[in-house]
Amino acid sequence: EPEVTQTPSHQVTQMGQEVILRCVPISNHLYFYWYRQILGQKVEFLVSFYNNEISEKSEIFDDQFSVERPDGSNFTLKIRSTKLEDSAMYFCASSVIQGSPLHFGNGTRLTVT
Amino acid sequence: GQQLNQSPQSMFIQEGEDVSMNCTSSSIFNTWLWYKQDPGEGPVLLIALYKAGELTSNGRLTAQFGITRKDSFLNISASIPSDVGIYFCASDGDMRFGAGTRLTVKP
């Protein structure tokens, strides 16, 4: 069964550095999402993306975040200047159409030191 | 965005017991989705509900879409140790998740 794949599985970075988290959504899916989960807490919506533009974003998704679909397969989340509180699991997901079930990757654990 | 309220926050049960958890909202939805998250992994879809009143089963899991379209419940019958995890509800609106119900099953 097709999967959403995320790389790297674990990223350690210093505060103030930029990070790019990468995702390859399922190939026939049209909607893409990023979620964040701080350890032990809920899965928080960050942003959804369709037709090469952001369709919705949460209050968490401020100016330090950006998303891009640089080619036909990758979907990236960039954090411009990481803060300690950005440490979390970041999950990418995709769906065929809006409102249909999401397929999640296994996440990237980001540790900001 | 819409708020999804899940309860209970956590449950500790004995293997073999049945489990019930629910999700409510002040908003009306067209879809309710239930996901399970195992430790260290991403959420995986368990059941999707698309019609008010719909009752859907997936093995030992049963979920219902409330008539008012503002709530849903998930039942697990005859729990086993591998049911351990966090169960999340989500809706079609903006794909936000509830806070989750953390299930612990004691053998």
Side-chain angles (χ1 to χ4, degrees), chain B:
Chain B
Q2 302 98 328
Q3 190 86 1
L4 299 180
N5 303 304
Q6 270 190 264
S7 64
Q9 275 189 329
S10 59
M11 304 181 76
F12 295 82
I13 62 168
Q14 207 67 41
E15 183 178 357
E17 287 182 6
D18 297 343
V19 170
S20 186
M21 58 190 80
N22 68 64
C23 197
T24 61
S25 175
S26 56
S27 302
I28 290 174
F29 296 120
N30 295 316
T31 305
W32 282 97
L33 305 164
W34 285 94
Y35 292 85
K36 183 192 177 202
Q37 185 180 29
D38 289 326
E41 297 185 16
V44 173
L45 181 73
L46 296 175
I47 292 180
L49 301 161
Y50 298 106
K51 211 162 89 169
E54 180 182 355
L55 184 73
T56 297
S57 293
N58 178 6
R60 293 177 297 106
L61 276 57
T62 303
Q64 184 156 30
F65 193 145
I67 290 288
T68 63
R69 290 162 59 199
K70 293 182 178 180
D71 61 349
S72 176
F73 71 74
L74 175 71
N75 286 346
I76 305 172
S77 62
S79 56
I80 59 178
S82 61
D83 290 333
V84 163
I86 307 175
Y87 292 79
F88 293 101
C89 63
S91 63
D92 62 301
D94 51 10
M95 303 312 292
R96 280 169 165 79
F97 279 54
T101 293
R102 185 180 295 272
L103 180 64
T104 303
V105 180
K106 292 179 281 191

Side-chain angles (χ1 to χ4, degrees), chain A residues 90-111:
Chain A
Y90 288 81
F91 291 105
C92 173
S94 67
S95 65
V96 177
I97 58 173
Q98 190 175 32
S100 63
L102 304 183
H103 294 252
F104 282 83
N106 276 332
T108 293
R109 180 175 297 283
L110 177 66
T111 302

Side-chain angles (χ1 to χ4, degrees), chain A residues 48-113:
Chain A
S48 58
F49 191 88
Y50 169 72
N51 201 26
N52 281 321
E53 58 184 34
I54 290 174
S55 51
E56 191 155 357
K57 60 183 180 179
S58 72
E59 55 281 356
I60 302 169
F61 194 87
D62 60 23
D63 291 344
Q64 67 162 340
F65 291 95
S66 61
V67 289
E68 202 178 28
R69 188 149 162 85
D71 52 44
S73 58
N74 288 284
F75 178 52
T76 62
L77 174 70
K78 185 194 288 186
I79 309 176
R80 243 177 292 281
S81 176
T82 50
K83 304 188 282 254
L84 293 175
E85 55 265 36
D86 292 328
S87 295
M89 284 289 287
Y90 288 81
F91 291 105
C92 173
S94 67
S95 65
V96 177
I97 58 173
Q98 190 175 32
S100 63
L102 304 183
H103 294 252
F104 282 83
N106 276 332
T108 293
R109 180 175 297 283
L110 177 66
T111 302
V112 182
T113 61

